[in-house]
Amino acid sequence: MLEQISTITHLTFSFFPIDSTLGRAFLKKSHGFLENKKIKFEKISNQTLFASTVLKNFKNEPVFIVRLETPRLIWQQGLQAIQWTWKMLFAASVVFAIALTIGISKLVISPLARVGKNLSHITHSADLSLRIPVKSKDEIGKLSLLIKPIVTGK
C-alpha cells in the first residue's frame, strides 16, 4: 500500500518503529515533538524537505514514525526566477550602457571633434577666411560662433 501511495503521489514515504534505532534517534533529536506538534518539517537541503509524524495505536501510544520526503519545487522555481531576473537585469544594463555611450558620442564627442578638426584645418592652412560651420544652437554651436571673432580678429 505504501508503494502505491508513493507511486501515485511521486513522494518517498518511510516508516520506522519508535523502538528502532532510527525512531529513538528521531525522538531524541526532536525532543517534545510528541506533545507539541502533529507534523514536524525539516529542511534537509535546498532541494529536499522532510515531514515527519507519529502514528499511534488505539491506546494513543506512539508506535511508528512516518517520514515523507519531498522535493522543494517551489523554492527551486523561485530560485530559477531570481537567477533569470538578474541575468535579464544585467543584459538590460549592458544594452543601456552601450546605448548611452553611443548617444554621448553622437551628441557631444562628434560635434567637438568636428570643431577641433575645423580649427586644426584653419591653423594648418593659415587661411583666416575659413569659417567653422554652426550646425546646432547648443553649447558646441555657441563655441563655434565664439571662435569666429578670434579667427577674424574682430
Side-chain angles (χ1 to χ4, degrees):
M1 172 130 170
L2 185 61
E3 290 150 2
Q4 289 175 335
I5 293 172
S6 292
T7 304
I8 293 169
T9 61
H10 303 287
L11 302 172
T12 305
F13 288 94
S14 57
F15 283 91
F16 44 94
I18 292 284
D19 60 353
S20 70
T21 306
L22 289 173
R24 284 190 295 273
F26 175 78
L27 291 176
K28 183 177 180 183
K29 187 172 105 176
S30 309
H31 53 82
F33 171 70
L34 293 175
E35 295 81 26
N36 300 333
K37 296 183 181 178
K38 296 187 184 266
I39 299 175
K40 179 182 180 192
F41 294 96
E42 299 175 75
K43 175 185 159 190
I44 301 303
S45 68
N46 288 335
Q47 288 80 26
T48 307
L49 182 69
F50 277 142
S52 304
T53 191
V54 175
L55 294 180
K56 298 179 180 180
N57 63 12
F58 64 93
K59 295 180 185 177
N60 206 25
E61 297 169 339
V63 180
F64 285 100
I65 295 175
V66 180
R67 194 162 224 197
L68 165 72
E69 180 181 340
T70 181
R72 296 181 69 193
L73 298 177
I74 293 173
W75 182 85
Q76 292 170 350
Q77 290 171 351
L79 183 62
Q80 289 172 349
I82 290 169
Q83 290 171 344
W84 182 86
T85 302
W86 278 111
K87 289 175 185 175
M88 291 299 112
L89 186 60
F90 177 75
S93 298
V94 168
V95 168
F96 179 74
I98 291 170
L100 187 63
T101 302
I102 291 170
I104 289 174
S105 175
K106 295 257 186 220
L107 294 174
V108 177
I109 309 285
S110 294
L112 275 175
R114 191 176 342 102
V115 170
K117 181 180 173 185
N118 287 331
L119 279 174
S120 178
H121 182 66
I122 291 170
T123 304
H124 291 303
S125 69
D127 183 4
L128 298 179
S129 65
L130 293 175
R131 299 290 173 253
I132 296 175
V134 178
K135 294 190 177 185
S136 64
K137 294 183 180 183
D138 60 3
E139 289 79 7
I140 297 172
K142 290 177 187 175
L143 175 67
S144 299
L145 286 173
L146 290 173
I147 292 173
K148 180 181 176 184
I150 295 172
V151 172
T152 60
K154 298 179 184 179

